[in-house]
Amino acid sequence: MNTIDTLAVRNRIFADMVNSLPLYEGRGRSSYHDCGNGYSMRLIHPSSQEELETYCRRLAEAGFREIYRNTIGSNDFRTLQNEELLTVHLYLVGYSGELRILMARNPTLQPQCEAVPAKGGEISFLRALPAGGGMGYLIGLCDGSLLVIDGGYNKNNCPEELYLALRESVPDPDHVVISCWIFTHGHNDHVGAFVGLCENYFAEGHIEIKSFLHNICLAPEQCYYISDPYYEKTVEVLQNQFPTVPTYIALTGQRYRFANAELEILYTIEDYMPAAILNESDAESEEDKKGNGNLQTVVFRLTVNNSSLFFMGDTATVCCNEMCNRYGSLMKSDYVQMSHHGMGDARPRARNATPEIYDCIAPKFGLLPCKKVSVPQKMELPINQHLASLVGGWENILCSGIRTERIPL
């Protein structure tokens, strides 16, 4: 199917969904966008809480049932679905008055479930993977299963290290249960080890994956400058090798529960649309203006027992600024994964975390996904010195290339 045909099909699907929804009558201007992950989005600005409530009532009258509701400060998030499995996820951003309405047919949604409290003697843990300079974390849950976040490169021995770490981190190494594999975005240094694991080790039958979570956007206008093939590779592996395993598309404001862990999505690519990925706006050269996919990062907070962990992936400065405006100090967490492997502002693409977002998170510990040899250089960067001052010194920055032992949660 050529690009024109694909666009025509997407337009027909989108028109069908829009015609299936009740009419939105509000004062704001609307724009429509292909999210590239099965969802389409209508952006309305300005809107209001009253207009949101009115539209949700119209959805209910049209046969939609509310499945999820969440509020974070002045931000209101809701997910509804009808009997034809048309799903609507809509949320009002308090400070800006933007209303985003996302629509999809037959999306996978997590069944409603209660958190599983840890019992005496059950210790959850965080384990950082060496990941060859990429990023990978394991979270051990009270039921013996794991959450996996990214994984690292598909080069050298990273897939093998991941495979061994998975088997070492569970009660039965011959039966590794992964409650959910979470991908922040589709770069090789984050998802490559997963692809390598599937290619070389999965056939041994020791690993059971119960679900996946990601928001990898393959919309052409958002991927025009992305040269990393692992965005498409990861989606292909999920579709071809795990066709019956639920794959959740992460949407801002939604919560997921896995045993004694709760995951709350704080930012996705839809929050950046309608802007196309051209990376940082202050880039000077044409090469640096070309986006490389970091703006697709899913940002989330994970709460395990009484510990909260803020995962930033490779989120960019523009995303950090938006989250500060939306959530402020409500982002406070015990741990923060340092954005983009602790890179600073030496080049436009590396301008990721900001002092403001670290101040809002106010962590006790930092998680630095990088090689041990890179730590001295990272320590010199002002943004990392700022974080070190917040957590009480570099001894509270846990580098993946130095510490891979279990950290109790």
Side-chain angles (χ1 to χ4, degrees):
M1 181 180 292
N2 61 40
T3 303
I4 296 177
D5 290 339
T6 302
L7 181 61
V9 170
R10 287 179 175 173
N11 286 341
R12 286 198 298 270
I13 294 173
F14 179 71
D16 171 56
M17 286 191 292
V18 171
N19 292 333
S20 300
L21 297 180
L23 180 66
Y24 177 88
E25 296 179 350
R27 58 196 168 96
R29 293 184 176 182
S30 293
S31 58
Y32 298 90
H33 311 279
D34 177 12
C35 300
N37 53 24
Y39 278 86
S40 296
M41 181 177 70
R42 182 179 184 183
L43 171 60
I44 301 168
H45 183 261
S47 187
S48 66
Q49 188 68 35
E50 181 181 0
E51 291 178 0
L52 170 65
E53 298 290 354
T54 298
Y55 192 61
C56 285
R57 285 196 295 271
R58 288 178 178 167
L59 285 169
E61 293 167 357
F64 285 83
R65 178 175 60 91
E66 185 176 289
I67 298 173
Y68 290 110
R69 180 184 291 199
N70 185 22
T71 57
I72 308 175
S74 62
N75 308 285
D76 193 327
F77 308 89
R78 308 186 190 193
T79 306
L80 302 92
Q81 191 176 67
N82 67 8
E83 293 183 356
E84 287 73 40
L85 300 183
L86 175 58
T87 295
V88 180
H89 178 68
L90 64 170
Y91 56 98
L92 180 67
V93 179
Y95 91 95
S96 66
E98 290 183 343
L99 176 62
R100 296 174 185 266
I101 304 175
L102 289 94
M103 302 159 282
R105 286 203 177 275
N106 301 316
T108 301
L109 296 171
Q110 186 189 40
Q112 297 185 48
C113 57
E114 298 295 328
V116 177
K119 300 177 182 178
E122 295 176 334
I123 300 177
S124 299
F125 63 88
L126 164 72
R127 181 177 181 182
L129 299 168
M135 176 171 133
Y137 290 94
L138 306 181
I139 307 291
L141 303 181
C142 67
D143 60 359
S145 69
L146 299 172
L147 296 180
V148 184
I149 301 168
D150 290 346
Y153 277 106
N154 187 14
K155 67 178 185 180
N156 300 328
N157 60 343
C158 290
E160 180 183 9
E161 288 180 341
L162 173 59
Y163 179 62
L164 294 175
L166 290 171
R167 299 191 68 188
E168 293 168 359
S169 301
V170 295
D172 181 0
D174 291 330
H175 187 202
V176 178
V177 178
I178 299 172
S179 289
C180 189
W181 201 310
I182 304 161
F183 303 117
T184 61
H185 62 297
H187 276 151
N188 181 15
D189 60 330
H190 289 255
V191 302
F194 163 75
V195 174
L197 180 80
C198 293
E199 292 172 342
N200 300 304
Y201 298 100
F202 204 84
E204 296 184 13
H206 298 310
I207 301 174
E208 176 189 0
I209 304 176
K210 291 189 173 182
S211 65
F212 295 97
L213 179 79
H214 72 83
N215 190 328
I216 294 176
C217 167
L218 297 181
E221 64 272 21
Q222 295 294 340
C223 298
Y224 184 76
Y225 287 118
I226 296 177
S227 59
D228 192 324
Y230 278 85
Y231 278 82
E232 291 188 0
K233 275 188 178 182
T234 302
V235 174
E236 290 173 359
V237 168
L238 297 184
Q239 292 175 344
N240 297 332
Q241 194 160 340
F242 304 95
T244 62
V245 176
T247 296
Y248 307 129
I249 300 298
L251 301 177
T252 302
Q254 286 191 331
R255 288 175 171 171
Y256 292 83
R257 289 190 175 94
F258 306 99
N260 58 318
E262 181 177 82
L263 186 150
E264 187 172 48
I265 311 297
L266 297 175
Y267 195 94
T268 68
I269 181 61
E270 288 81 18
D271 295 302
Y272 185 70
M273 293 178 177
I277 292 179
L278 293 174
N279 219 337
E280 299 293 349
S281 60
D282 59 352
E284 295 179 358
S285 71
E286 288 301 314
E287 181 61 28
D288 284 331
K289 287 180 181 179
K290 295 180 179 179
N292 62 356
N294 287 341
L295 286 162
Q296 289 206 25
T297 293
V298 174
V299 181
F300 60 92
R301 177 167 50 195
L302 184 67
T303 303
V304 184
N305 297 335
N306 294 318
S307 296
S308 52
L309 304 97
F310 197 100
F311 284 93
M312 299 182 70
D314 289 356
T315 189
T317 298
V318 64
C319 310
C320 293
N321 294 340
E322 176 67 17
M323 285 187 284
C324 287
N325 288 332
R326 286 189 188 185
Y327 309 120
S329 61
L330 296 175
M331 293 187 286
K332 179 169 175 52
S333 304
D334 298 314
Y335 296 80
V336 62
Q337 172 253 311
M338 297 165 65
S339 178
H340 204 185
H341 316 274
M343 292 188 185
D345 57 2
R347 55 194 175 98
R349 287 185 178 179
R351 292 174 185 153
N352 296 83
T354 65
E356 291 77 16
I357 196 167
Y358 284 152
D359 288 342
C360 289
I361 297 170
K364 300 175 183 176
F365 301 95
L367 305 175
L368 177 54
C370 78
K371 296 179 180 179
K372 178 180 178 181
V373 69
S374 303
V375 172
Q377 179 184 7
K378 300 287 177 69
M379 290 173 62
E380 296 176 356
L381 299 174
I383 183 64
N384 297 335
Q385 291 180 2
H386 180 77
L387 178 61
S389 70
L390 292 177
V391 300
W394 272 91
E395 62 271 18
N396 291 324
I397 303 291
L398 313 177
C399 175
S400 299
I402 298 176
R403 300 186 180 186
T404 56
E405 73 272 14
R406 301 183 185 200
I407 301 169
L409 298 176

